Amino acid sequence: MIIPQNIIEELVSLAEKDAPDEACGYLLGTGDTVTENYWMENIDHSPEHFSFAPKDQFAALRYARAKGLIILANWHSHPATPSRPSQEDLRLANDPNIHYAILSLRNGEARLNSFKILNGEIIDKETHL
């Protein structure tokens, strides 16, 4: 998956703004290239996990369809932990067709990796930052 630098910078900015809570959203695009970030409120307001409001998820799907885009990734930040899926992330990753991008802000240093997850196991990893 290709994530342009301007979108990476937007994710970092949002994650810093939402810290110490996790930030989250979808990465939208075509093919394997991200063209837009669709930020959503973390309704859990937690530094250790996130949830999307169903109404926000439906709005994101409608938006993507109207623009001719697809959801390439579910993304969220880890304000204080590494850019890798937690046990909860692995358990909740139920769509093998998308990437799961995790932006770490640990120790003030941004790191962004994305993962393909199948049946709770990482089957592919890409480093973006």
Side-chain angles (χ1 to χ4, degrees):
M1 179 173 65
I2 299 164
I3 307 174
Q5 186 63 34
N6 66 310
I7 296 194
I8 292 173
E9 290 169 6
E10 181 181 349
L11 299 180
V12 171
S13 177
L14 288 166
E16 289 173 343
K17 178 180 149 283
D18 285 356
D21 292 341
E22 291 189 357
C24 55
Y26 285 143
L27 297 177
L28 310 175
T30 57
D32 68 347
T33 302
V34 173
T35 58
E36 294 188 43
N37 165 49
Y38 194 98
W39 174 88
M40 288 184 270
E41 178 185 2
N42 174 358
I43 62 170
D44 290 342
H45 301 286
S46 169
E48 297 174 357
H49 53 87
F50 72 98
S51 293
F52 301 136
K55 68 176 180 58
D56 292 341
Q57 285 183 281
F58 288 120
L61 290 169
R62 282 192 302 275
Y63 176 85
R65 285 186 189 133
K67 295 269 211 161
L69 303 173
I70 59 171
I71 296 170
L72 295 174
N74 169 323
W75 78 270
H76 71 281
S77 64
H78 280 181
T81 57
S83 175
R84 64 175 180 246
S86 66
Q87 289 302 311
E88 180 175 295
D89 293 334
L90 292 171
R91 184 176 55 80
L92 296 175
N94 57 14
D95 187 345
N97 299 310
I98 67 169
H99 293 260
Y100 292 88
I102 300 174
L103 173 65
S104 172
L105 298 177
R106 183 177 178 200
N107 299 327
E109 189 173 337
R111 295 273 186 232
L112 178 62
N113 294 308
S114 64
F115 305 86
K116 290 287 258 182
I117 300 171
L118 181 63
N119 298 324
E121 298 290 327
I122 297 170
I123 58 171
D124 189 32
K125 174 187 172 186
E126 295 178 30
T127 298
H128 305 282
L129 174 67

PDB file of all heavy atoms in Angstrom, residues 82-116:
ATOM      1  N   PRO A  82       4.567   0.678  20.589  1.00  0.00           N
ATOM      2  CA  PRO A  82       5.121   0.542  19.241  1.00  0.00           C
ATOM      3  C   PRO A  82       4.057   0.407  18.140  1.00  0.00           C
ATOM      4  O   PRO A  82       2.895   0.108  18.401  1.00  0.00           O
ATOM      5  CB  PRO A  82       5.951  -0.747  19.332  1.00  0.00           C
ATOM      6  CG  PRO A  82       6.225  -0.932  20.780  1.00  0.00           C
ATOM      7  CD  PRO A  82       5.029  -0.373  21.495  1.00  0.00           C
ATOM      8  N   SER A  83       4.521   0.581  16.915  1.00  0.00           N
ATOM      9  CA  SER A  83       3.671   0.462  15.730  1.00  0.00           C
ATOM     10  C   SER A  83       3.543  -1.004  15.334  1.00  0.00           C
ATOM     11  O   SER A  83       4.095  -1.470  14.332  1.00  0.00           O
ATOM     12  CB  SER A  83       4.274   1.270  14.570  1.00  0.00           C
ATOM     13  OG  SER A  83       3.529   1.079  13.397  1.00  0.00           O
ATOM     14  N   ARG A  84       2.809  -1.718  16.159  1.00  0.00           N
ATOM     15  CA  ARG A  84       2.511  -3.129  15.883  1.00  0.00           C
ATOM     16  C   ARG A  84       1.172  -3.449  16.529  1.00  0.00           C
ATOM     17  O   ARG A  84       0.780  -2.826  17.521  1.00  0.00           O
ATOM     18  CB  ARG A  84       3.610  -4.043  16.404  1.00  0.00           C
ATOM     19  CG  ARG A  84       3.771  -4.030  17.886  1.00  0.00           C
ATOM     20  CD  ARG A  84       4.807  -5.067  18.341  1.00  0.00           C
ATOM     21  NE  ARG A  84       4.946  -5.038  19.771  1.00  0.00           N
ATOM     22  CZ  ARG A  84       6.031  -4.665  20.420  1.00  0.00           C
ATOM     23  NH1 ARG A  84       7.102  -4.293  19.755  1.00  0.00           N
ATOM     24  NH2 ARG A  84       6.055  -4.669  21.737  1.00  0.00           N
ATOM     25  N   PRO A  85       0.460  -4.430  15.977  1.00  0.00           N
ATOM     26  CA  PRO A  85      -0.864  -4.751  16.526  1.00  0.00           C
ATOM     27  C   PRO A  85      -0.782  -5.312  17.940  1.00  0.00           C
ATOM     28  O   PRO A  85       0.061  -6.160  18.238  1.00  0.00           O
ATOM     29  CB  PRO A  85      -1.406  -5.813  15.564  1.00  0.00           C
ATOM     30  CG  PRO A  85      -0.577  -5.714  14.337  1.00  0.00           C
ATOM     31  CD  PRO A  85       0.763  -5.213  14.783  1.00  0.00           C
ATOM     32  N   SER A  86      -1.659  -4.821  18.779  1.00  0.00           N
ATOM     33  CA  SER A  86      -1.811  -5.397  20.126  1.00  0.00           C
ATOM     34  C   SER A  86      -2.611  -6.691  19.983  1.00  0.00           C
ATOM     35  O   SER A  86      -3.148  -6.988  18.910  1.00  0.00           O
ATOM     36  CB  SER A  86      -2.567  -4.423  21.026  1.00  0.00           C
ATOM     37  OG  SER A  86      -3.908  -4.267  20.554  1.00  0.00           O
ATOM     38  N   GLN A  87      -2.732  -7.430  21.061  1.00  0.00           N
ATOM     39  CA  GLN A  87      -3.556  -8.648  21.035  1.00  0.00           C
ATOM     40  C   GLN A  87      -5.005  -8.297  20.685  1.00  0.00           C
ATOM     41  O   GLN A  87      -5.656  -9.014  19.941  1.00  0.00           O
ATOM     42  CB  GLN A  87      -3.469  -9.392  22.365  1.00  0.00           C
ATOM     43  CG  GLN A  87      -2.136 -10.059  22.597  1.00  0.00           C
ATOM     44  CD  GLN A  87      -1.790 -11.055  21.496  1.00  0.00           C
ATOM     45  OE1 GLN A  87      -2.582 -11.902  21.131  1.00  0.00           O
ATOM     46  NE2 GLN A  87      -0.595 -10.917  20.942  1.00  0.00           N
ATOM     47  N   GLU A  88      -5.484  -7.179  21.222  1.00  0.00           N
ATOM     48  CA  GLU A  88      -6.852  -6.736  20.899  1.00  0.00           C
ATOM     49  C   GLU A  88      -6.970  -6.383  19.418  1.00  0.00           C
ATOM     50  O   GLU A  88      -7.948  -6.727  18.756  1.00  0.00           O
ATOM     51  CB  GLU A  88      -7.239  -5.535  21.759  1.00  0.00           C
ATOM     52  CG  GLU A  88      -8.638  -5.029  21.459  1.00  0.00           C
ATOM     53  CD  GLU A  88      -9.061  -3.916  22.394  1.00  0.00           C
ATOM     54  OE1 GLU A  88      -9.188  -4.172  23.604  1.00  0.00           O
ATOM     55  OE2 GLU A  88      -9.253  -2.792  21.887  1.00  0.00           O
ATOM     56  N   ASP A  89      -5.944  -5.698  18.865  1.00  0.00           N
ATOM     57  CA  ASP A  89      -5.954  -5.361  17.435  1.00  0.00           C
ATOM     58  C   ASP A  89      -6.036  -6.630  16.584  1.00  0.00           C
ATOM     59  O   ASP A  89      -6.802  -6.694  15.619  1.00  0.00           O
ATOM     60  CB  ASP A  89      -4.700  -4.579  17.039  1.00  0.00           C
ATOM     61  CG  ASP A  89      -4.621  -3.195  17.666  1.00  0.00           C
ATOM     62  OD1 ASP A  89      -5.677  -2.619  17.994  1.00  0.00           O
ATOM     63  OD2 ASP A  89      -3.484  -2.695  17.816  1.00  0.00           O
ATOM     64  N   LEU A  90      -5.256  -7.627  16.939  1.00  0.00           N
ATOM     65  CA  LEU A  90      -5.263  -8.892  16.182  1.00  0.00           C
ATOM     66  C   LEU A  90      -6.625  -9.573  16.283  1.00  0.00           C
ATOM     67  O   LEU A  90      -7.142 -10.089  15.290  1.00  0.00           O
ATOM     68  CB  LEU A  90      -4.165  -9.825  16.689  1.00  0.00           C
ATOM     69  CG  LEU A  90      -2.731  -9.381  16.420  1.00  0.00           C
ATOM     70  CD1 LEU A  90      -1.752 -10.287  17.157  1.00  0.00           C
ATOM     71  CD2 LEU A  90      -2.433  -9.351  14.929  1.00  0.00           C
ATOM     72  N   ARG A  91      -7.197  -9.545  17.455  1.00  0.00           N
ATOM     73  CA  ARG A  91      -8.496 -10.200  17.674  1.00  0.00           C
ATOM     74  C   ARG A  91      -9.611  -9.510  16.892  1.00  0.00           C
ATOM     75  O   ARG A  91     -10.513 -10.165  16.369  1.00  0.00           O
ATOM     76  CB  ARG A  91      -8.801 -10.202  19.177  1.00  0.00           C
ATOM     77  CG  ARG A  91     -10.064 -10.927  19.571  1.00  0.00           C
ATOM     78  CD  ARG A  91     -10.242 -10.975  21.086  1.00  0.00           C
ATOM     79  NE  ARG A  91     -10.221  -9.681  21.736  1.00  0.00           N
ATOM     80  CZ  ARG A  91     -11.251  -8.837  21.778  1.00  0.00           C
ATOM     81  NH1 ARG A  91     -12.382  -9.151  21.203  1.00  0.00           N
ATOM     82  NH2 ARG A  91     -11.143  -7.683  22.405  1.00  0.00           N
ATOM     83  N   LEU A  92      -9.540  -8.183  16.795  1.00  0.00           N
ATOM     84  CA  LEU A  92     -10.617  -7.424  16.162  1.00  0.00           C
ATOM     85  C   LEU A  92     -10.434  -7.212  14.657  1.00  0.00           C
ATOM     86  O   LEU A  92     -11.332  -6.702  13.995  1.00  0.00           O
ATOM     87  CB  LEU A  92     -10.771  -6.067  16.855  1.00  0.00           C
ATOM     88  CG  LEU A  92     -11.201  -6.134  18.311  1.00  0.00           C
ATOM     89  CD1 LEU A  92     -11.196  -4.739  18.928  1.00  0.00           C
ATOM     90  CD2 LEU A  92     -12.566  -6.793  18.448  1.00  0.00           C
ATOM     91  N   ALA A  93      -9.286  -7.585  14.117  1.00  0.00           N
ATOM     92  CA  ALA A  93      -9.031  -7.422  12.679  1.00  0.00           C
ATOM     93  C   ALA A  93      -9.790  -8.509  11.924  1.00  0.00           C
ATOM     94  O   ALA A  93      -9.311  -9.621  11.770  1.00  0.00           O
ATOM     95  CB  ALA A  93      -7.536  -7.517  12.400  1.00  0.00           C
ATOM     96  N   ASN A  94     -10.978  -8.168  11.446  1.00  0.00           N
ATOM     97  CA  ASN A  94     -11.831  -9.204  10.854  1.00  0.00           C
ATOM     98  C   ASN A  94     -11.996  -9.088   9.344  1.00  0.00           C
ATOM     99  O   ASN A  94     -12.754  -9.847   8.761  1.00  0.00           O
ATOM    100  CB  ASN A  94     -13.210  -9.210  11.532  1.00  0.00           C
ATOM    101  CG  ASN A  94     -13.893  -7.858  11.442  1.00  0.00           C
ATOM    102  OD1 ASN A  94     -13.487  -6.998  10.684  1.00  0.00           O
ATOM    103  ND2 ASN A  94     -14.933  -7.677  12.232  1.00  0.00           N
ATOM    104  N   ASP A  95     -11.302  -8.154   8.687  1.00  0.00           N
ATOM    105  CA  ASP A  95     -11.397  -8.030   7.233  1.00  0.00           C
ATOM    106  C   ASP A  95     -10.035  -8.309   6.613  1.00  0.00           C
ATOM    107  O   ASP A  95      -9.142  -7.459   6.644  1.00  0.00           O
ATOM    108  CB  ASP A  95     -11.889  -6.634   6.843  1.00  0.00           C
ATOM    109  CG  ASP A  95     -12.157  -6.505   5.354  1.00  0.00           C
ATOM    110  OD1 ASP A  95     -11.711  -7.365   4.571  1.00  0.00           O
ATOM    111  OD2 ASP A  95     -12.823  -5.525   4.972  1.00  0.00           O
ATOM    112  N   PRO A  96      -9.848  -9.499   6.031  1.00  0.00           N
ATOM    113  CA  PRO A  96      -8.540  -9.837   5.461  1.00  0.00           C
ATOM    114  C   PRO A  96      -8.218  -9.085   4.174  1.00  0.00           C
ATOM    115  O   PRO A  96      -7.108  -9.181   3.660  1.00  0.00           O
ATOM    116  CB  PRO A  96      -8.655 -11.343   5.198  1.00  0.00           C
ATOM    117  CG  PRO A  96     -10.114 -11.560   4.974  1.00  0.00           C
ATOM    118  CD  PRO A  96     -10.811 -10.583   5.882  1.00  0.00           C
ATOM    119  N   ASN A  97      -9.170  -8.294   3.664  1.00  0.00           N
ATOM    120  CA  ASN A  97      -8.958  -7.587   2.403  1.00  0.00           C
ATOM    121  C   ASN A  97      -8.382  -6.185   2.571  1.00  0.00           C
ATOM    122  O   ASN A  97      -8.031  -5.543   1.587  1.00  0.00           O
ATOM    123  CB  ASN A  97     -10.281  -7.492   1.635  1.00  0.00           C
ATOM    124  CG  ASN A  97     -10.820  -8.861   1.304  1.00  0.00           C
ATOM    125  OD1 ASN A  97     -10.114  -9.707   0.775  1.00  0.00           O
ATOM    126  ND2 ASN A  97     -12.072  -9.102   1.646  1.00  0.00           N
ATOM    127  N   ILE A  98      -8.315  -5.699   3.807  1.00  0.00           N
ATOM    128  CA  ILE A  98      -7.758  -4.365   4.027  1.00  0.00           C
ATOM    129  C   ILE A  98      -6.497  -4.455   4.878  1.00  0.00           C
ATOM    130  O   ILE A  98      -6.193  -5.490   5.469  1.00  0.00           O
ATOM    131  CB  ILE A  98      -8.785  -3.414   4.687  1.00  0.00           C
ATOM    132  CG1 ILE A  98      -9.110  -3.842   6.121  1.00  0.00           C
ATOM    133  CG2 ILE A  98     -10.041  -3.271   3.843  1.00  0.00           C
ATOM    134  CD1 ILE A  98      -9.903  -2.804   6.906  1.00  0.00           C
ATOM    135  N   HIS A  99      -5.787  -3.339   4.917  1.00  0.00           N
ATOM    136  CA  HIS A  99      -4.614  -3.218   5.773  1.00  0.00           C
ATOM    137  C   HIS A  99      -5.050  -2.620   7.110  1.00  0.00           C
ATOM    138  O   HIS A  99      -6.057  -1.920   7.187  1.00  0.00           O
ATOM    139  CB  HIS A  99      -3.575  -2.287   5.143  1.00  0.00           C
ATOM    140  CG  HIS A  99      -2.967  -2.821   3.893  1.00  0.00           C
ATOM    141  ND1 HIS A  99      -1.739  -3.415   3.860  1.00  0.00           N
ATOM    142  CD2 HIS A  99      -3.422  -2.853   2.626  1.00  0.00           C
ATOM    143  CE1 HIS A  99      -1.458  -3.781   2.625  1.00  0.00           C
ATOM    144  NE2 HIS A  99      -2.480  -3.443   1.856  1.00  0.00           N
ATOM    145  N   TYR A 100      -4.256  -2.862   8.115  1.00  0.00           N
ATOM    146  CA  TYR A 100      -4.444  -2.260   9.425  1.00  0.00           C
ATOM    147  C   TYR A 100      -3.191  -1.441   9.693  1.00  0.00           C
ATOM    148  O   TYR A 100      -2.116  -2.008   9.897  1.00  0.00           O
ATOM    149  CB  TYR A 100      -4.674  -3.339  10.489  1.00  0.00           C
ATOM    150  CG  TYR A 100      -6.003  -4.021  10.262  1.00  0.00           C
ATOM    151  CD1 TYR A 100      -6.109  -5.120   9.417  1.00  0.00           C
ATOM    152  CD2 TYR A 100      -7.168  -3.523  10.831  1.00  0.00           C
ATOM    153  CE1 TYR A 100      -7.338  -5.713   9.160  1.00  0.00           C
ATOM    154  CE2 TYR A 100      -8.399  -4.126  10.590  1.00  0.00           C
ATOM    155  CZ  TYR A 100      -8.470  -5.208   9.748  1.00  0.00           C
ATOM    156  OH  TYR A 100      -9.694  -5.781   9.491  1.00  0.00           O
ATOM    157  N   ALA A 101      -3.333  -0.122   9.612  1.00  0.00           N
ATOM    158  CA  ALA A 101      -2.192   0.782   9.772  1.00  0.00           C
ATOM    159  C   ALA A 101      -2.147   1.292  11.208  1.00  0.00           C
ATOM    160  O   ALA A 101      -3.177   1.686  11.764  1.00  0.00           O
ATOM    161  CB  ALA A 101      -2.306   1.944   8.797  1.00  0.00           C
ATOM    162  N   ILE A 102      -0.954   1.260  11.776  1.00  0.00           N
ATOM    163  CA  ILE A 102      -0.772   1.697  13.162  1.00  0.00           C
ATOM    164  C   ILE A 102       0.351   2.723  13.203  1.00  0.00           C
ATOM    165  O   ILE A 102       1.484   2.445  12.797  1.00  0.00           O
ATOM    166  CB  ILE A 102      -0.459   0.505  14.091  1.00  0.00           C
ATOM    167  CG1 ILE A 102      -1.622  -0.492  14.039  1.00  0.00           C
ATOM    168  CG2 ILE A 102      -0.198   0.992  15.516  1.00  0.00           C
ATOM    169  CD1 ILE A 102      -1.370  -1.778  14.787  1.00  0.00           C
ATOM    170  N   LEU A 103       0.004   3.902  13.702  1.00  0.00           N
ATOM    171  CA  LEU A 103       0.941   5.006  13.829  1.00  0.00           C
ATOM    172  C   LEU A 103       1.345   5.133  15.296  1.00  0.00           C
ATOM    173  O   LEU A 103       0.507   5.428  16.148  1.00  0.00           O
ATOM    174  CB  LEU A 103       0.284   6.309  13.359  1.00  0.00           C
ATOM    175  CG  LEU A 103       1.093   7.578  13.592  1.00  0.00           C
ATOM    176  CD1 LEU A 103       2.368   7.563  12.755  1.00  0.00           C
ATOM    177  CD2 LEU A 103       0.261   8.795  13.290  1.00  0.00           C
ATOM    178  N   SER A 104       2.607   4.883  15.573  1.00  0.00           N
ATOM    179  CA  SER A 104       3.118   5.013  16.938  1.00  0.00           C
ATOM    180  C   SER A 104       3.701   6.404  17.146  1.00  0.00           C
ATOM    181  O   SER A 104       4.377   6.937  16.262  1.00  0.00           O
ATOM    182  CB  SER A 104       4.210   3.978  17.197  1.00  0.00           C
ATOM    183  OG  SER A 104       4.831   4.217  18.445  1.00  0.00           O
ATOM    184  N   LEU A 105       3.438   6.962  18.322  1.00  0.00           N
ATOM    185  CA  LEU A 105       4.060   8.220  18.737  1.00  0.00           C
ATOM    186  C   LEU A 105       4.995   7.986  19.919  1.00  0.00           C
ATOM    187  O   LEU A 105       5.380   8.925  20.614  1.00  0.00           O
ATOM    188  CB  LEU A 105       2.981   9.239  19.128  1.00  0.00           C
ATOM    189  CG  LEU A 105       2.004   9.659  18.040  1.00  0.00           C
ATOM    190  CD1 LEU A 105       0.960  10.605  18.610  1.00  0.00           C
ATOM    191  CD2 LEU A 105       2.724  10.286  16.863  1.00  0.00           C
ATOM    192  N   ARG A 106       5.351   6.762  20.131  1.00  0.00           N
ATOM    193  CA  ARG A 106       6.162   6.367  21.295  1.00  0.00           C
ATOM    194  C   ARG A 106       7.457   7.176  21.355  1.00  0.00           C
ATOM    195  O   ARG A 106       8.163   7.321  20.361  1.00  0.00           O
ATOM    196  CB  ARG A 106       6.481   4.877  21.172  1.00  0.00           C
ATOM    197  CG  ARG A 106       7.241   4.327  22.329  1.00  0.00           C
ATOM    198  CD  ARG A 106       7.436   2.852  22.124  1.00  0.00           C
ATOM    199  NE  ARG A 106       8.216   2.292  23.196  1.00  0.00           N
ATOM    200  CZ  ARG A 106       8.860   1.161  23.109  1.00  0.00           C
ATOM    201  NH1 ARG A 106       8.797   0.438  22.007  1.00  0.00           N
ATOM    202  NH2 ARG A 106       9.545   0.717  24.119  1.00  0.00           N
ATOM    203  N   ASN A 107       7.741   7.693  22.544  1.00  0.00           N
ATOM    204  CA  ASN A 107       8.950   8.480  22.804  1.00  0.00           C
ATOM    205  C   ASN A 107       9.083   9.685  21.872  1.00  0.00           C
ATOM    206  O   ASN A 107      10.195  10.106  21.547  1.00  0.00           O
ATOM    207  CB  ASN A 107      10.202   7.601  22.707  1.00  0.00           C
ATOM    208  CG  ASN A 107      10.200   6.481  23.725  1.00  0.00           C
ATOM    209  OD1 ASN A 107       9.691   6.644  24.834  1.00  0.00           O
ATOM    210  ND2 ASN A 107      10.731   5.335  23.346  1.00  0.00           N
ATOM    211  N   GLY A 108       7.950  10.212  21.381  1.00  0.00           N
ATOM    212  CA  GLY A 108       7.976  11.387  20.530  1.00  0.00           C
ATOM    213  C   GLY A 108       8.451  11.146  19.112  1.00  0.00           C
ATOM    214  O   GLY A 108       8.715  12.087  18.367  1.00  0.00           O
ATOM    215  N   GLU A 109       8.568   9.890  18.724  1.00  0.00           N
ATOM    216  CA  GLU A 109       9.056   9.548  17.385  1.00  0.00           C
ATOM    217  C   GLU A 109       7.956   8.809  16.620  1.00  0.00           C
ATOM    218  O   GLU A 109       7.540   7.720  17.016  1.00  0.00           O
ATOM    219  CB  GLU A 109      10.300   8.663  17.503  1.00  0.00           C
ATOM    220  CG  GLU A 109      10.986   8.437  16.188  1.00  0.00           C
ATOM    221  CD  GLU A 109      12.306   7.703  16.360  1.00  0.00           C
ATOM    222  OE1 GLU A 109      12.894   7.743  17.453  1.00  0.00           O
ATOM    223  OE2 GLU A 109      12.724   7.068  15.387  1.00  0.00           O
ATOM    224  N   ALA A 110       7.489   9.396  15.541  1.00  0.00           N
ATOM    225  CA  ALA A 110       6.412   8.792  14.752  1.00  0.00           C
ATOM    226  C   ALA A 110       6.935   7.629  13.918  1.00  0.00           C
ATOM    227  O   ALA A 110       7.974   7.736  13.261  1.00  0.00           O
ATOM    228  CB  ALA A 110       5.773   9.841  13.848  1.00  0.00           C
ATOM    229  N   ARG A 111       6.195   6.525  13.959  1.00  0.00           N
ATOM    230  CA  ARG A 111       6.468   5.325  13.151  1.00  0.00           C
ATOM    231  C   ARG A 111       5.135   4.847  12.616  1.00  0.00           C
ATOM    232  O   ARG A 111       4.154   4.755  13.372  1.00  0.00           O
ATOM    233  CB  ARG A 111       7.079   4.204  13.988  1.00  0.00           C
ATOM    234  CG  ARG A 111       8.427   4.526  14.532  1.00  0.00           C
ATOM    235  CD  ARG A 111       9.494   4.162  13.515  1.00  0.00           C
ATOM    236  NE  ARG A 111      10.800   4.350  14.085  1.00  0.00           N
ATOM    237  CZ  ARG A 111      11.748   5.064  13.504  1.00  0.00           C
ATOM    238  NH1 ARG A 111      11.518   5.658  12.358  1.00  0.00           N
ATOM    239  NH2 ARG A 111      12.917   5.191  14.066  1.00  0.00           N
ATOM    240  N   LEU A 112       5.089   4.516  11.332  1.00  0.00           N
ATOM    241  CA  LEU A 112       3.855   4.036  10.712  1.00  0.00           C
ATOM    242  C   LEU A 112       4.121   2.742   9.964  1.00  0.00           C
ATOM    243  O   LEU A 112       4.942   2.707   9.046  1.00  0.00           O
ATOM    244  CB  LEU A 112       3.290   5.089   9.755  1.00  0.00           C
ATOM    245  CG  LEU A 112       2.025   4.714   8.980  1.00  0.00           C
ATOM    246  CD1 LEU A 112       0.840   4.450   9.925  1.00  0.00           C
ATOM    247  CD2 LEU A 112       1.673   5.804   7.969  1.00  0.00           C
ATOM    248  N   ASN A 113       3.426   1.700  10.377  1.00  0.00           N
ATOM    249  CA  ASN A 113       3.472   0.407   9.697  1.00  0.00           C
ATOM    250  C   ASN A 113       2.044  -0.002   9.368  1.00  0.00           C
ATOM    251  O   ASN A 113       1.096   0.396  10.049  1.00  0.00           O
ATOM    252  CB  ASN A 113       4.095  -0.672  10.592  1.00  0.00           C
ATOM    253  CG  ASN A 113       5.554  -0.418  10.877  1.00  0.00           C
ATOM    254  OD1 ASN A 113       6.342  -0.213   9.968  1.00  0.00           O
ATOM    255  ND2 ASN A 113       5.913  -0.414  12.149  1.00  0.00           N
ATOM    256  N   SER A 114       1.906  -0.810   8.312  1.00  0.00           N
ATOM    257  CA  SER A 114       0.592  -1.380   8.027  1.00  0.00           C
ATOM    258  C   SER A 114       0.741  -2.891   7.931  1.00  0.00           C
ATOM    259  O   SER A 114       1.807  -3.406   7.573  1.00  0.00           O
ATOM    260  CB  SER A 114      -0.020  -0.797   6.755  1.00  0.00           C
ATOM    261  OG  SER A 114       0.743  -1.132   5.614  1.00  0.00           O
ATOM    262  N   PHE A 115      -0.344  -3.569   8.265  1.00  0.00           N
ATOM    263  CA  PHE A 115      -0.323  -5.016   8.385  1.00  0.00           C
ATOM    264  C   PHE A 115      -1.524  -5.623   7.677  1.00  0.00           C
ATOM    265  O   PHE A 115      -2.614  -5.054   7.696  1.00  0.00           O
ATOM    266  CB  PHE A 115      -0.382  -5.416   9.865  1.00  0.00           C
ATOM    267  CG  PHE A 115       0.692  -4.783  10.694  1.00  0.00           C
ATOM    268  CD1 PHE A 115       0.509  -3.515  11.245  1.00  0.00           C
ATOM    269  CD2 PHE A 115       1.891  -5.431  10.915  1.00  0.00           C
ATOM    270  CE1 PHE A 115       1.507  -2.912  11.999  1.00  0.00           C
ATOM    271  CE2 PHE A 115       2.891  -4.844  11.666  1.00  0.00           C
ATOM    272  CZ  PHE A 115       2.702  -3.579  12.213  1.00  0.00           C
ATOM    273  N   LYS A 116      -1.313  -6.775   7.085  1.00  0.00           N
ATOM    274  CA  LYS A 116      -2.424  -7.612   6.637  1.00  0.00           C
ATOM    275  C   LYS A 116      -2.556  -8.677   7.723  1.00  0.00           C
ATOM    276  O   LYS A 116      -1.562  -9.277   8.152  1.00  0.00           O
ATOM    277  CB  LYS A 116      -2.129  -8.267   5.293  1.00  0.00           C
ATOM    278  CG  LYS A 116      -2.116  -7.290   4.129  1.00  0.00           C
ATOM    279  CD  LYS A 116      -3.485  -6.822   3.750  1.00  0.00           C
ATOM    280  CE  LYS A 116      -3.956  -7.530   2.524  1.00  0.00           C
ATOM    281  NZ  LYS A 116      -5.248  -7.126   2.057  1.00  0.00           N
TER     282      LYS A 116
END
